[in-house]
């Protein structure tokens, strides 16, 4: 079974802090993704990566950055946290193949910015 | 512009009956479609998918139907069980999507009454 592990289930930070959300997958997947989920808005893609040191902006990258130094790890960084970044953050991974593959998700990090 | 639409925010059905969850899309480049199920405080779990070369895919109690001309897909759950109560997300990816970048709908909350 694919295992995607997010470092924290719940996190509380203060406005202006630099926040790191970590994600690790154990299936040697090439693709990794960061989403945020908000009520009534579904899942929105923040950033994704299809290889080490590669990154692509998703639909809502503003206020975020990412790091992919190792294949299994994909980090989401909030450079200066703001209250509108309070959300559920979800990491996912998938294999890079000729055909489409489903993404596999972690259990999420509920982040509150005070 | 929302490319994947789940227009009904919620659905309530009686245990044992059929649940039909609908999804519409606007992007003609989408060729792979997925349904995810999400419980509160957990990450989305992949349920079932369908490629655009098919019009039906079945897995146990779950069947997905695709109508390409109408740009519409639906998930049928038969028979519905209380454990099926969750949020269901429809998602789609584009042709040649080896990176499996997905566009999600906003989700529909299914409640199955005992």
């Amino acid at each position: 079974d694919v295992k995607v592990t997010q470092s924290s289930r719940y996190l509380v930070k203060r406005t202006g802090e630099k926040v790191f959300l970590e994600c690790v997958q154990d299936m040697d997947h090439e693709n990794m993704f960061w989403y945020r989920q908000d009520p009534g808005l579904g899942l929105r893609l923040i950033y994704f990566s299809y290889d080490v040191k590669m990154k692509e902006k998703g639909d809502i990258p503003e206020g975020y950055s990412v790091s992919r130094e190792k294949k299994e790890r994909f980090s989401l960084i909030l450079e200066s946290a703001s209250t509108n970044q309070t959300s559920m953050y979800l990491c996912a991974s998938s294999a890079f193949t000729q055909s489409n593959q489903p993404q596999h998700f972690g259990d999420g990090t509920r982040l509150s910015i005070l | 512009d929302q490319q994947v639409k789940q227009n009904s925010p919620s659905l309530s059905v009686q245990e044992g009956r059929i649940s039909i969850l609908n999804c519409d899309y606007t992007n003609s480049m989408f060729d792979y479609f997925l349904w995810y199920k999400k419980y509160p405080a957990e990450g989305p779990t992949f349920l079932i998918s369908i490629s655009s070369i098919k019009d039906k895919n079945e897995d146990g109690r779950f069947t997905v139907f695709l109508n390409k001309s109408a740009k519409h897909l639906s998930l049928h759950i038969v028979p519905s069980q209380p454990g099926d109560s969750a949020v269901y997300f429809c998602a789609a990816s584009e042709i040649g999507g080896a990176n499996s970048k997905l566009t999600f709908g906003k989700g529909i909350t299914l409640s199955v009454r005992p």
Side-chain angles (χ1 to χ4, degrees):
Chain A
D1 274 358
V2 176
K3 184 69 174 176
V4 179
T5 303
Q6 295 184 229
S7 54
S8 304
R9 293 297 302 272
Y10 301 93
L11 207 52
V12 180
K13 296 292 183 181
R14 295 201 173 276
T15 303
E17 278 192 72
K18 190 169 186 176
V19 181
F20 293 85
L21 302 183
E22 305 288 346
C23 175
V24 177
Q25 51 92 5
D26 66 356
M27 285 302 292
D28 202 35
H29 282 168
E30 290 79 10
N31 304 325
M32 296 190 75
F33 307 82
W34 275 106
Y35 296 87
R36 60 179 284 177
Q37 183 199 359
D38 300 287
L41 296 178
L43 275 70
R44 294 181 293 166
L45 181 64
I46 304 171
Y47 266 97
F48 65 103
S49 168
Y50 51 86
D51 201 353
V52 176
K53 297 194 185 294
M54 302 297 289
K55 61 183 179 183
E56 295 280 343
K57 291 180 180 179
D59 300 317
I60 51 164
E62 295 78 20
Y64 303 95
S65 63
V66 291
S67 173
R68 183 113 183 254
E69 295 297 319
K70 294 184 178 181
K71 190 176 186 180
E72 68 271 19
R73 186 179 297 270
F74 193 34
S75 303
L76 179 69
I77 304 155
L78 286 65
E79 296 290 343
S80 178
S82 63
T83 55
N84 63 12
Q85 292 178 309
T86 291
S87 186
M88 167 71 90
Y89 288 88
L90 293 160
C91 176
S93 73
S94 69
F96 185 103
T97 65
Q98 291 297 322
S99 60
N100 288 292
Q101 293 291 318
Q103 294 179 16
H104 301 272
F105 284 83
D107 281 338
T109 296
R110 173 72 66 185
L111 175 63
S112 296
I113 306 296
L114 304 179
Chain B
D1 181 33
Q2 201 181 346
Q3 299 184 66
V4 177
K5 301 178 183 180
Q6 294 179 260
N7 291 321
S8 301
S10 62
L11 175 68
S12 180
V13 300
Q14 193 75 37
E15 181 179 6
R17 306 294 291 268
I18 185 171
S19 295
I20 300 176
L21 289 70
N22 293 306
C23 179
D24 298 292
Y25 62 96
T26 58
N27 187 341
S28 299
M29 298 296 286
F30 287 151
D31 74 336
Y32 180 62
F33 304 89
L34 309 90
W35 284 93
Y36 283 84
K37 172 181 178 180
K38 186 181 185 300
Y39 293 119
E42 293 184 12
T45 302
F46 169 69
L47 261 181
I48 191 168
S49 64
I50 187 167
S51 165
S52 60
I53 62 173
K54 294 185 175 182
D55 55 18
K56 177 183 175 181
N57 189 26
E58 191 172 354
D59 183 2
R61 296 187 297 115
F62 302 91
T63 303
V64 56
F65 295 91
L66 176 62
N67 182 334
K68 290 185 290 293
S69 61
K71 293 189 175 67
H72 177 83
L73 65 154
S74 60
L75 175 69
H76 292 210
I77 307 173
V78 182
S80 301
Q81 300 173 354
D84 295 329
S85 297
V87 178
Y88 289 79
F89 291 99
C90 172
S93 70
E94 293 188 6
I95 293 169
N99 292 338
S100 65
K101 179 173 173 287
L102 297 176
T103 300
F104 284 83
K106 294 184 178 182
I108 177 169
T109 301
L110 173 66
S111 300
V112 180
R113 307 185 303 274

